[in-house]
Amino acid sequence: MKIIYKPILLSAFAALVLSSCGGSVPVLSTPIENIDNTPIKESALTEAEAQNWGHLDLVKDTIPGMSVDKAYAEVIKGNKGQQIIVAVIDSGIDITHEDLDGVIWTNPKEIAGNGIDDDNNGYVDDIHGWNFLGDAYDEQLEMTRIAASGDSSIPRYAEAVAQLEKDYQQALSNKQRYDQIYTNVSSAHKVLTAHFKKADYTAEEVNAITAEEGSELATAVSTAKFMYANGMKSVAEAEEQIKGGVEYFTDQLNANLNKDFNGRKTGDNPNDFNDKPGYGNGNVMPIKKSESHGTHVAGIIAAERNNGLGANGVANNVKIMSIRAVPNGDEYDKDVAKAIRYAVDNGAKIINGSFGKSFSTNPEWVRDAIKYASDNNVIFVHAAGNSSENVDIAPNFPDDNVDYVEISNTYIRVGALAPSYGTKMVAGFSNYGKKNVDVFAPGAKIYSTTPENEYKTMGGTSMAAPAVAGVAALVWSQYPKLTASQVKQIIMDSGLAIPSKVVVGGDASNVQPFSDLSKSAKIVNAYNALIMASQISK
């Protein structure tokens, strides 16, 4: 899926930039009140809170976290529990990262580098997992593949063709906007750098400039002041963010929305489930540094706790099985179905799937794999998606049901929360659905690991799903006799019910009871889950 997390162009700043260029974004014109009619008070998080807000406690910290720190302090108290293998089906994972290298799964039955399938599982040298993409990175979106096929017998073919044309024209327009903005900001940064004879000039220094009206310097100062007014700490930071938008739309036009593009490099037929068994390779590392999504997701689940490094994972005794199957575009149904089955067959008890798409050519392949996981006592946690839609109405794949009749009792679909309790606590990008979303968890502005020993804040339901996978691992580790379906039900039943109304889809005119946005009507809470698990396990 192309938007597996909220990309830089959809940040608040970039939305403002688009708005200034004629685009439109929803804006709260008047404050919306809480259920008790008191205005919402929003205060900035401290740096420590911002980097750990998903682990904080709603009552103690007034931040809608999962009470992870409270769970460790009052329930776990140093008890490691039983080790749980969590498979992360995603982009590549930097398994050498300083905060992840101690929690990476190693296949005990495989001998590294001998070119032999030692454990006879169909995959040669799968030491830390498997890479179903091979050397590929960019891919088309599924609707592009459907439209490019020219096969009108494919379900939703006409819809795919129409949507592709609409999205291509929108991407082209946005690319032109971002190119223009990037040129202006880059020029301003160059002029100001020359003026100050340094690149790290401050806002105070810029504000102190007196420049002749209409001059190149005056234009640069005006541009810089606009950046500062819209939350940028520096013009260089603004330049980097806008560059991300340029790259995003360039990728869309060149690959994701390009009917002539073919990114497949594994030599198999992706439309034949049985073609070329064992395709791909055992290299689970990212192809490039920008392929950071899988590393970020893995860190949310399992970054080594309290080691003095950048982030703490939710779970304290897991091994991450890395399965690379999500490209920079839409994942193939074949790859996802094979990846789920690989995870189940090789010992994973929990699978995290922070991916999804609106079109699916072979949804039954993935649905059968999800049922296979359920039948084998494995939990599958899936991100609800980032298109601000009701997924009871708008299709979102993969799913675990046909016309709301579920084929799995261990599938958990997760919506995203923002770090602000009150009407704005549901992330504006998050999908929702009373029937098809199970729970909500922290997903906006999440700090975690990225490749090459770095850390970054990202947002998306892609970040909410691994938070829940981490809680599931924590509960199951402490109470290993529970079944997968029991762990799922504990997570849903033990969450905190939110009695108030919230803004949905980032649209101030769309205010709904939080209880209408998911099946459980709750936000995940690790402390409560452990307490309930203790009671049920007895």
Side-chain angles (χ1 to χ4, degrees):
M1 105 188 241
K2 178 60 182 174
I3 306 178
I4 41 185
Y5 63 95
K6 296 308 289 180
I8 206 71
L9 71 135
L10 294 179
S11 68
F13 166 70
L16 277 167
V17 172
L18 277 179
S19 180
S20 73
C21 296
S24 61
V25 291
V27 177
L28 289 174
S29 56
T30 56
I32 296 177
E33 297 180 334
N34 277 316
I35 194 167
D36 60 359
N37 294 320
T38 58
I40 292 176
K41 180 181 179 181
E42 291 193 7
S43 56
L45 274 61
T46 66
E47 182 178 1
E49 288 174 335
Q51 294 183 358
N52 191 52
W53 79 264
H55 293 201
L56 300 182
D57 181 72
L58 181 58
V59 174
K60 177 184 176 184
D61 305 299
T62 65
I63 296 170
M66 302 188 299
S67 303
V68 175
D69 292 345
K70 180 180 179 181
Y72 276 99
E74 300 182 21
V75 181
I76 296 174
K77 298 179 179 179
N79 183 11
K80 296 283 285 187
Q82 180 174 299
Q83 191 173 94
I84 301 291
I85 298 172
V86 180
V88 174
I89 300 174
D90 214 292
S91 66
I93 295 175
D94 184 356
I95 60 176
T96 67
H97 194 288
E98 62 182 6
D99 224 357
L100 292 174
D101 54 3
V103 298
I104 300 300
W105 174 77
T106 298
N107 186 344
K109 300 177 182 178
E110 196 76 13
I111 300 172
N114 67 355
I116 299 172
D117 181 12
D118 300 289
D119 58 1
N120 295 313
N121 69 351
Y123 300 93
V124 176
D125 288 338
D126 55 324
I127 306 303
H128 301 294
W130 193 250
N131 173 12
F132 287 94
L133 302 179
D135 297 329
Y137 176 66
D138 291 314
E139 252 304 345
Q140 294 171 312
L141 298 184
E142 188 79 358
M143 69 175 177
T144 308
R145 295 194 280 257
I146 293 172
S149 72
D151 185 354
S152 60
S153 67
I154 296 176
R156 301 176 66 201
Y157 172 80
E159 182 183 350
V161 171
Q163 189 66 48
L164 175 61
E165 175 61 23
K166 177 183 177 181
D167 288 0
Y168 186 89
Q169 293 303 322
Q170 185 65 55
L172 186 62
S173 174
N174 286 337
K175 170 69 163 52
Q176 292 168 346
R177 290 176 180 176
Y178 267 80
D179 280 339
Q180 181 180 0
I181 298 165
Y182 182 68
T183 297
N184 293 341
V185 175
S186 295
S187 175
H189 185 44
K190 184 180 295 184
V191 169
L192 291 169
T193 297
H195 175 78
F196 289 113
K197 295 182 173 56
K198 62 180 182 178
D200 57 345
Y201 51 86
T202 66
E204 290 76 15
E205 290 173 320
V206 172
N207 289 330
I209 292 177
T210 301
E212 181 181 349
E213 187 175 348
S215 67
E216 186 180 57
L217 181 58
T219 300
V221 170
S222 178
T223 300
K225 287 181 176 179
F226 180 79
M227 298 299 114
Y228 299 140
N230 286 293
M232 295 294 101
K233 297 177 182 177
S234 70
V235 180
E237 179 187 357
E239 183 180 25
E240 187 63 26
Q241 286 210 20
I242 296 165
K243 181 182 178 182
V246 172
E247 292 172 348
Y248 174 80
F249 289 118
T250 300
D251 283 348
Q252 279 201 320
L253 295 170
N254 291 345
N256 306 147
L257 304 174
N258 183 355
K259 290 197 291 185
D260 297 323
F261 181 79
N262 182 9
R264 195 73 171 175
K265 296 184 179 180
T266 46
D268 69 308
N269 178 1
N271 295 311
D272 182 348
F273 191 76
N274 296 311
D275 181 54
K276 199 176 179 182
Y279 65 91
N281 60 53
N283 178 19
V284 298
M285 292 283 287
I287 295 293
K288 55 178 73 175
K289 185 177 180 180
S290 61
E291 186 184 338
S292 60
H293 189 267
T295 306
H296 200 267
V297 166
I300 294 170
I301 299 169
E304 297 173 45
R305 294 185 58 82
N306 304 319
N307 62 353
L309 298 175
N312 277 344
V314 174
N316 67 339
N317 193 7
V318 302
K319 291 294 182 182
I320 296 293
M321 178 189 292
S322 178
I323 306 179
R324 186 173 183 265
V326 181
N328 185 36
D330 275 348
E331 60 281 355
Y332 278 96
D333 294 324
K334 176 181 178 179
D335 295 343
V336 172
K338 295 276 188 182
I340 293 171
R341 290 177 179 273
Y342 175 92
V344 173
D345 292 342
N346 289 278
K349 297 300 294 178
I350 298 167
I351 301 170
N352 188 84
S354 287
F355 52 82
K357 55 189 180 182
S358 299
F359 289 84
S360 179
T361 305
N362 299 107
E364 69 281 0
W365 292 350
V366 184
R367 201 174 293 123
D368 287 348
I370 291 172
K371 185 178 188 305
Y372 181 72
S374 180
D375 291 345
N376 283 275
N377 201 38
V378 175
I379 294 171
F380 183 83
V381 185
H382 180 227
N386 302 327
S387 49
S388 309
E389 294 179 308
N390 183 344
V391 291
D392 289 349
I393 301 170
N396 182 265
F397 302 96
D399 56 38
D400 72 330
N401 66 85
V402 178
D403 296 329
Y404 307 117
V405 177
E406 295 185 350
I407 49 84
S408 165
N409 60 4
T410 64
Y411 171 98
I412 308 174
R413 182 177 274 174
V414 188
L417 298 172
S420 175
Y421 182 67
T423 55
K424 298 181 184 178
M425 66 185 296
V426 172
F429 53 77
S430 181
N431 287 349
Y432 55 95
K434 182 66 174 176
K435 295 179 180 178
N436 279 334
V437 173
D438 292 301
V439 292
F440 274 78
K445 301 179 182 177
I446 303 297
Y447 184 76
S448 185
T449 48
T450 53
E452 300 182 12
N453 294 333
E454 294 182 2
Y455 302 82
K456 186 181 292 186
T457 297
M458 296 184 185
T461 56
S462 279
M463 284 67 243
V468 175
V471 172
L474 195 60
V475 169
W476 220 348
S477 175
Q478 296 293 317
Y479 303 99
K481 292 183 180 180
L482 294 171
T483 65
S485 60
Q486 285 178 314
V487 173
K488 172 188 173 176
Q489 205 58 47
I490 286 168
I491 287 173
M492 293 182 65
D493 292 345
S494 65
L496 297 178
I498 304 299
S500 56
K501 292 184 177 182
V502 294
V503 174
V504 179
D507 179 0
S509 66
N510 186 1
V511 179
Q512 300 182 35
F514 182 83
S515 58
D516 288 349
L517 304 184
S518 70
K519 189 178 296 185
S520 70
K522 295 177 180 178
I523 67 175
V524 171
N525 189 277
Y527 175 84
N528 287 357
L530 285 164
I531 298 299
M532 184 175 288
S534 173
Q535 297 167 346
I536 291 177
S537 66
K538 293 177 181 178

